[in-house]
Amino acid sequence: MKQHFKMAALSLAVISATNAFAQDSAEPEYKSWFGISGMYYNTDESRPLDLTEGEVYDDGLGATFEYGFRFTQSWAARVEFTKLSVDFRDGGDDSGEMTGVDALYFMPDDAWFVFGGVKRQSVGDSTTLGNIGIGKHWKVGETARLITEIATYHDFGESYNDFSVKVGLAIPFGKSTPSAPKDSDNDGVVDGKDQCPMTPAGVRVDATGCSVDNDNDGVLNSVDQCPNTPAGTKVDATGCALKDADNDGVVDSKDMCPDTPAGVKVDAKGCTVFDEETVEITLRVLFDNESAVVKMPKDPEISEFAEFMKQYPSTTAVIEGHTSAPGSEAYNMDLSKRRAANFKEVMVDMYGIEGSRLETIGYGETQLLDKGKNAEAHRVNRRISVTVKDTVKVAEEK
């Protein structure tokens, strides 16, 4: 399985490289090389020996000699001869040789190369192998290169997959005379350093080959319709100042809420940022002895309660009626219910609060505020009480 994985990975590397880079005609840094390398060779773990039944190959070592020729900066070919000795898993070894040819593709600036080819191996039985791999010629001086390669091999007859690692030394020769660097857009900056390779003719450029930006607004002079924008001004794609009608820091072209009130925080779309806040009001109204009449329906506290209900129209309320202790339980229960109902009637008829938002309940004498048996205790216990609470969104301030 690991051998098949290596073959698939190296195949993908070769295909990707040849698709990504078209064949060029540039002169290479050197035209030919001769190399000698040491090789570690690992065989497929299931590859048997025909010579001795029951034994299988393990791994081995070899010495490789190669000669390569570069047609262009990218493309090359080589012939290779390897003297190979492969061990048996249970002891002993077998010697032979491997010869073949490869096509090589060098990445830009000789960063690395991929290769593929055909080999004829004569170790024990002779077999034909297809191989692909990846490598690099490391520059160690003007007259030498360090060779590093890894390759995988596929036996066309038995479907075995081997792999090898190679390290050696190459001597390049036939150096090319370097050509003058190109400047495709004639802006005075050579292609190798030109970050804007399609600059229009006549445009003044900087050291990277890109047109300059005199007012430092991020828009190049060649497209800047407002070339003298003051420093720090936000600009659009044409280099002109962006408008922000409501002064919320979000330009009109991106402002989804163009009339944001002054002094509030906004999000990236220019809309107000809200916090959740809990609002609450509690009201208590006292009644005369044995009476269910709301004596002062226009009392400021009652008016404030009604305004709160109107300000938060999604709220509802439970009006609780209560009595003092004197009297029978049945009588007090009925009186407490009438007190709650009468207060609801005031809210609906006098203040215009929808009846569906108000619920009434009587508790009689079961929830006394003051359990004393004096006149003051009886006075505070004759009451209705109501509490309204809501969670609302409040704009954050800057």
Side-chain angles (χ1 to χ4, degrees):
M1 176 63 71
K2 65 180 182 180
Q3 302 284 11
H4 287 287
F5 176 78
K6 294 184 182 76
M7 178 69 79
L10 286 170
S11 297
L12 180 60
V14 173
I15 293 170
S16 299
T18 54
N19 284 341
F21 300 97
Q23 178 174 349
D24 63 29
S25 58
E27 287 293 327
E29 183 179 355
Y30 55 91
K31 292 185 177 180
S32 303
W33 75 93
F34 176 81
I36 182 170
S37 306
M39 175 184 288
Y40 167 75
Y41 192 89
N42 184 275
T43 63
D44 193 306
E45 60 185 9
S46 62
R47 178 175 176 178
L49 266 170
D50 293 335
L51 299 177
T52 306
E53 184 175 356
E55 292 187 321
V56 295
Y57 286 117
D58 190 359
D59 57 7
L61 300 174
T64 299
F65 303 89
E66 65 182 86
Y67 170 77
F69 180 83
R70 297 182 73 162
F71 305 102
T72 69
Q73 176 67 26
S74 298
W75 291 101
R78 73 179 174 193
V79 293
E80 192 177 70
F81 172 83
T82 302
K83 187 66 178 177
L84 193 60
S85 176
V86 182
D87 295 335
F88 301 151
R89 186 171 299 173
D90 297 327
D93 58 38
D94 200 358
S95 299
E97 59 272 343
M98 183 168 63
T99 59
V101 294
D102 289 315
L104 296 83
Y105 186 90
F106 286 79
M107 300 298 136
D109 299 324
D110 285 1
W112 48 282
F113 60 84
V114 292
F115 60 88
V118 179
K119 299 291 187 294
R120 183 66 178 172
Q121 188 182 109
S122 298
V123 180
D125 289 347
S126 295
T127 185
T128 300
L129 307 171
N131 68 281
I132 56 174
I134 187 170
K136 180 174 177 62
H137 284 177
W138 303 85
K139 190 172 183 179
V140 293
E142 292 299 321
T143 60
R145 299 288 190 277
L146 176 66
I147 301 172
T148 56
E149 291 182 14
I150 183 170
T152 185
Y153 306 81
H154 180 72
D155 184 330
F156 292 111
E158 300 294 337
S159 295
Y160 299 130
N161 295 307
D162 303 340
F163 75 90
S164 69
V165 177
K166 186 172 77 174
V167 179
L169 191 67
I171 305 300
F173 51 92
K175 291 187 177 181
S176 302
T177 302
S179 57
K182 290 185 177 181
D183 178 13
S184 300
D185 54 4
N186 297 310
D187 60 358
V189 180
V190 297
D191 291 352
K193 297 181 179 180
D194 199 334
Q195 297 181 19
C196 302
M198 302 300 291
T199 305
V203 173
R204 187 162 59 92
V205 300
D206 57 20
T208 65
C210 297
S211 58
V212 294
D213 176 15
N214 288 338
D215 56 3
N216 295 312
D217 61 358
V219 179
L220 299 177
N221 292 344
S222 57
V223 294
D224 198 335
Q225 297 179 19
C226 303
N228 298 310
T229 306
T233 303
K234 292 184 178 181
V235 298
D236 58 21
T238 66
C240 296
L242 293 167
K243 293 182 179 180
D244 179 13
D246 54 4
N247 295 310
D248 61 358
V250 180
V251 296
D252 292 351
S253 60
K254 297 182 179 180
D255 200 333
M256 303 296 291
C257 303
D259 298 317
T260 306
V264 301
K265 288 184 179 180
V266 297
D267 56 22
K269 296 180 180 179
C271 296
T272 303
V273 176
F274 290 95
D275 275 339
E276 287 193 346
E277 183 177 296
T278 300
V279 292
E280 180 178 351
I281 188 170
T282 298
L283 176 67
R284 183 180 301 156
V285 178
L286 301 182
F287 290 80
D288 289 340
N289 186 35
E290 296 187 7
S291 173
V293 176
V294 180
K295 294 190 298 180
M296 300 176 63
K298 293 185 179 181
D299 183 276
E301 291 186 1
I302 296 177
S303 299
E304 181 182 354
F305 176 82
E307 286 301 316
F308 184 93
M309 292 288 289
K310 292 178 181 179
Q311 183 178 357
Y312 302 103
S314 63
T315 57
T316 58
V318 177
I319 303 170
E320 300 175 352
H322 303 273
T323 68
S324 58
S328 69
E329 290 184 6
Y331 174 79
N332 286 339
M333 181 62 69
D334 177 68
L335 180 58
S336 67
K337 289 180 180 180
R338 286 188 286 117
R339 286 172 175 172
N342 286 350
F343 184 79
K344 175 180 178 179
E345 185 176 337
V346 169
M347 287 290 102
V348 174
D349 294 345
M350 186 172 293
Y351 291 99
I353 306 300
E354 292 182 11
S356 59
R357 297 173 58 196
L358 301 170
E359 180 183 349
T360 62
I361 186 170
Y363 287 102
E365 60 188 83
T366 62
Q367 296 185 5
L368 299 175
L369 286 179
D370 188 338
K371 294 184 179 180
K373 298 182 179 179
N374 52 55
E376 178 59 22
H378 298 332
R379 185 183 72 82
V380 299
N381 286 331
R382 298 190 296 267
R383 73 196 187 279
I384 63 94
S385 61
V386 56
T387 298
V388 180
K389 182 186 295 185
D390 194 14
T391 300
V392 297
K393 290 184 176 181
V394 179
E396 286 189 32
E397 296 183 355
K398 289 184 178 179

